Amino acid sequence: MTTAPTELDELCYLTAQSMTSLVTSQHFKLIKKLGEGSYGKVMLAVHQKRGTPMALKFFPRRSTTLQAFLREYNLSVSYCTHPSLTRALGIFYSTPSHYVFAQEAGLYGDLYDVIVSEEGVSEESAQRVMSQLSGAVSHLHSLGFVHRDIKPENIFLCDRAYRWVKLGDFGLARAQGTKVRAVWYNSPFCVPEVEGAKTVSDAEEAEDIWMSVEPSLDTWALGILIYCLLTSCFPWEESTSDDPSYRKYRDWFNRIQQREETQDTEAETDVSPQFDSLSSFVLTLLRKLLNPLPQLRPGPDEILSYLGGPWLLKTEKEEMRREQEAQVEAKKMHERGGVEGEKEMMGRRER
Ligand SMILES: Nc1ncnc2c1ncn2[C@@H]1O[C@H](COP(=O)(O)OP(=O)(O)OP(=O)(O)O)[C@@H](O)[C@H]1O
């Protein structure tokens, strides 16, 4: 275990001793609700005396352990120093009904709203968002933490055009290598390696399946996120063999793999239909991030090698068209240069 997760345990122990109780309204003016999750609600507030805006995250005490609250708070305040991670502001307290901490507020909603909006996300914006998240998640991984809950609802916008985004919600973040119960849930963000837990959850007396928390969980989520940003859809409903769209993806993935191993360039490798609008360039990246085998998934910084090129097929075609036009133009210039040159030669001869 790296030192940061061990330090985090110590910080939780120490902050438990200095927890104060406050009356929220005596210190903060609540402005509006920023959002609500399964653990509690988040309010936009300003500090009564200083006017500082902040997000106050309220955790009901009846459903939250003090340890879980302090872990999320301390992780955010002490380790989220990357500009694209949501940092806590050093304010935490309890009320008779809630534990509360203050965090930087994303004032422009979250990425989910943008993805489902009519305009969708441009290719340029998708790359800008992913370059920031690649850095943010790499930062967490370098400290030995895995986020485990990367999804559009947990990416907050710092400006209207989402030029600057911040990953938040560290409630499920754990130290790399922690053994946790494998939990299957119905979403493409749920990794295929927990498929076994789906059948277990149906069988009453089945034994729990345990898994190790690894960075590859976040890598998978970043791959799904890229797909969502580019298409405003999910690639499939759930990453299990029951899902026809996921099966198609996996078959395609295996065919490409086989072609690479056998170097059989003739082999048929038509892309699985839900990827039709994506460029071959970004498909290479997605095949890496969405590798069904977790141990073969790269780190989030792999994304950096794929910035700048076309991610949408339309753009890839456009780029080819632009290149062809440039070549035709260059040829014309060359020919014109030749004719001008010839005229000049003729002129010289006549003189
Ligand atoms: N710092 C913040 N700035 C702006 N909006 C925020 C912030 N924190 C949370 N929100 C909003 O509140 C919603 C719920 O917050 P959050 O995801 O942290 O809660 P949760 O109960 O842990 O959720 P989940 O069910 O995803 O685990 C987010 O989707 C987002 O819209």
Side-chain angles (χ1 to χ4, degrees):
M1 200 190 261
T2 59
T3 53
T6 320
E7 270 171 22
L8 179 63
D9 288 342
E10 182 67 6
L11 284 171
C12 289
Y13 180 80
L14 296 174
T15 44
Q17 296 177 339
S18 51
M19 180 97 146
T20 50
S21 55
L22 291 183
V23 176
T24 302
S25 60
Q26 282 179 0
H27 299 270
F28 307 98
K29 186 166 182 242
L30 298 182
I31 310 290
K32 64 167 186 173
K33 186 150 83 173
L34 285 170
E36 203 159 8
S38 38
Y39 298 98
K41 67 174 181 215
V42 181
M43 302 291 296
L44 177 63
V46 285
H47 192 268
Q48 293 277 19
K49 283 197 186 136
R50 321 237 358 137
T52 320
M54 57 188 74
L56 287 182
K57 189 163 176 178
F58 291 80
F59 300 74
R61 288 177 67 152
R62 66 185 139 70
S63 53
T64 313
T65 64
L66 178 61
Q67 200 213 359
F69 166 77
L70 289 175
R71 199 191 308 113
E72 183 169 343
Y73 164 69
N74 280 307
L75 178 65
S76 181
V77 79
S78 297
Y79 300 105
C80 292
T81 49
H82 187 278
S84 283
L85 290 172
T86 310
R87 196 160 187 196
L89 298 174
I91 297 168
F92 67 107
Y93 61 92
S94 66
T95 72
S97 57
H98 288 87
Y99 296 123
V100 187
F101 73 75
Q103 216 173 26
E104 297 168 319
L107 298 177
Y108 297 87
D110 60 52
L111 206 54
Y112 180 82
D113 301 328
V114 181
I115 288 175
V116 298
S117 70
E118 255 175 49
E119 305 87 64
V121 177
S122 72
E123 186 194 76
E124 192 194 354
S125 302
Q127 295 200 2
R128 201 183 312 117
V129 165
M130 290 314 301
S131 75
Q132 293 172 57
L133 293 178
S134 158
V137 180
S138 294
H139 176 84
L140 282 179
H141 290 182
S142 72
L143 292 168
F145 296 112
V146 179
H147 186 281
R148 295 173 71 222
D149 200 15
I150 298 171
K151 58 183 180 183
E153 297 89 321
N154 287 338
I155 297 156
F156 312 139
L157 316 182
C158 302
D159 63 299
R160 212 178 296 281
Y162 46 98
R163 290 178 173 278
W164 183 11
V165 297
K166 282 177 185 269
L167 177 64
D169 191 358
F170 307 103
L172 291 183
R174 293 288 179 278
Q176 179 181 351
T178 309
K179 296 280 177 278
V180 293
R181 197 173 281 120
V183 178
W184 177 84
Y185 55 99
N186 184 4
S187 160
F189 285 100
C190 181
V191 288
E193 53 268 28
V194 301
E195 181 170 357
K198 181 182 178 185
T199 34
V200 168
S201 65
D202 296 340
E204 268 179 20
E205 285 179 26
E207 278 191 26
D208 286 333
I209 297 178
W210 293 84
M211 67 187 287
S212 173
V213 169
E214 296 300 331
S216 55
L217 298 171
D218 289 343
T219 299
W220 177 273
L222 290 171
I224 298 288
L225 186 65
I226 291 178
Y227 184 90
C228 294
L229 284 168
L230 293 176
T231 64
S232 296
C233 299
F234 283 146
W236 46 79
E237 267 179 44
E238 56 178 66
S239 320
T240 65
S241 327
D242 294 342
D243 186 303
S245 298
Y246 178 64
R247 267 204 318 267
K248 272 192 195 131
Y249 165 73
R250 221 181 33 192
D251 292 347
W252 169 73
F253 180 94
N254 291 337
R255 280 200 308 274
I256 300 244
Q257 200 89 326
Q258 222 167 11
R259 188 181 70 170
E260 282 175 1
E261 276 162 23
T262 58
Q263 294 183 343
D264 176 7
T265 47
E266 304 282 293
E268 187 253 323
T269 53
D270 276 355
V271 67
S272 104
Q274 68 265 42
F275 292 96
D276 271 353
S277 61
L278 305 191
S279 72
S280 49
F281 186 60
V282 82
L283 281 176
T284 310
L285 170 63
L286 290 184
R287 273 200 306 122
K288 292 180 178 178
L289 304 178
L290 299 176
N291 192 317
L293 295 176
Q295 64 277 21
L296 297 182
R297 286 176 213 144
D301 48 4
E302 184 70 20
I303 295 167
L304 300 180
S305 312
Y306 289 82
L307 300 175
W311 280 14
L312 289 170
L313 201 54
K314 181 169 56 70
T315 342
E316 193 177 39
K317 275 187 185 154
E318 249 166 40
E319 216 151 83
M320 274 167 65
R321 186 180 51 77
R322 244 181 268 134
E323 221 164 81
Q324 277 167 357
E325 276 175 7
Q327 277 172 7
V328 170
E329 199 54 37
K331 205 173 155 204
K332 272 188 198 159
M333 292 269 281
H334 182 75
E335 281 169 2
R336 230 180 284 136
V339 172
E340 292 302 320
E342 241 167 59
K343 271 189 197 160
E344 206 183 322
M345 291 277 282
M346 297 280 279
R348 265 195 224 145
R349 254 185 240 139
E350 276 165 17
R351 259 182 262 133

